[in-house]
Amino acid sequence: MRMNRTLGVLAASAALSLAAPAFAATNFFTNFDSINFGSGPGFTTRESYEGWTAGRNGLEVQYNNVAGAAFSGANLVELDTSANSSMSRMIDPGTYVLRYWYSNRPGVPASSNGISVLLNESPIFTTPGGNGGASTNWVLQTVNFAVTAPTTLTFSAIGTSDSVGGYLDSISLSAVPEPASWVMMILGFGMLGVALRRQRQAKLRVTYA
């Protein structure tokens, strides 16, 4: 009986370990608020920020409503600094859901507000932008994709390169388990449950014999 329980637990553990690689993919959340730039409104152009590496023209962190309110916290990012720019980071293989909040820059025409999402410099999704109103208007954008090798994920300003453009805030990347991994996990938990149930039954037989 002890051998059967041991084999059941080992089998369950093996099933769970086979599913584990799907969860080794990249997960992150960034809302650009890791630095408090002070109480007054302003902006700063940086070469990197919160795991993102800027393109050749840097990335602009705006803070404290200098040209519109952030979606969350005090800071947001604009990628049209002195000219169109970008920000990138590496991600591991996996199936993903990318979510980010986007706003047109207030008072800026649609021709300057677009932002594109790229994988290894190939566009997969574009927020074309619209005419900016009197204040920021944040809209959630969702992109699903899968990559089979380490990949560069990039946000890039598109449209007129004129030092004003669309805004980004509260970006998250979440790995989605593959269907096969779900099956293995369910199998593993099921086998573990059977092993534990048999163990309890064995204890009851010993107690009341």
Side-chain angles (χ1 to χ4, degrees):
M1 180 63 70
R2 180 176 299 173
M3 178 64 72
N4 289 339
R5 290 200 303 272
T6 301
L7 290 174
V9 172
L10 289 174
S13 300
L16 291 173
S17 65
L18 287 173
F23 293 96
T26 304
N27 293 273
F28 67 78
F29 172 78
T30 179
N31 65 358
F32 308 110
D33 286 321
S34 61
I35 296 178
N36 181 346
F37 292 100
S39 58
F43 66 91
T44 178
T45 301
R46 305 178 70 88
E47 295 182 356
S48 62
Y49 193 62
E50 292 191 1
W52 297 93
T53 299
R56 63 180 181 177
N57 294 314
L59 63 88
E60 181 177 299
V61 182
Q62 296 186 10
Y63 48 91
N64 298 328
N65 304 322
V66 66
F71 170 74
S72 173
N75 305 341
L76 60 87
V77 157
E78 180 183 5
L79 295 177
D80 194 340
T81 54
S82 59
N84 279 351
S85 192
S86 62
M87 64 182 193
S88 304
R89 67 193 299 159
M90 292 297 298
I91 61 173
D92 292 321
T95 300
Y96 293 102
V97 179
L98 172 68
R99 297 181 177 90
Y100 62 96
W101 288 86
Y102 167 87
S103 175
N104 303 316
R105 176 167 173 149
V108 170
S111 57
S112 288
N113 273 326
I115 289 178
S116 187
V117 179
L118 306 91
L119 297 175
N120 288 341
E121 301 184 358
S122 296
I124 62 167
F125 185 80
T126 296
T127 303
N131 294 321
S135 59
T136 49
N137 180 26
W138 294 98
V139 179
L140 178 63
Q141 310 289 307
T142 303
V143 188
N144 297 276
F145 65 89
V147 292
T148 58
T151 298
T152 303
L153 170 66
T154 301
F155 285 89
S156 181
I158 58 176
T160 307
S161 182
D162 55 3
S163 80
V164 290
Y167 292 164
L168 293 170
D169 202 353
S170 296
I171 302 172
S172 69
L173 186 71
S174 303
V176 179
E178 299 285 354
S181 296
W182 280 115
V183 171
M184 294 300 293
M185 286 182 64
I186 293 169
L187 175 62
F189 283 123
M191 295 175 69
L192 186 58
V194 170
L196 293 173
R197 185 166 59 252
R198 288 179 175 174
Q199 186 177 17
R200 287 195 298 268
Q201 291 172 349
K203 287 182 178 178
L204 288 172
R205 285 196 295 270
V206 170
T207 301
Y208 298 105

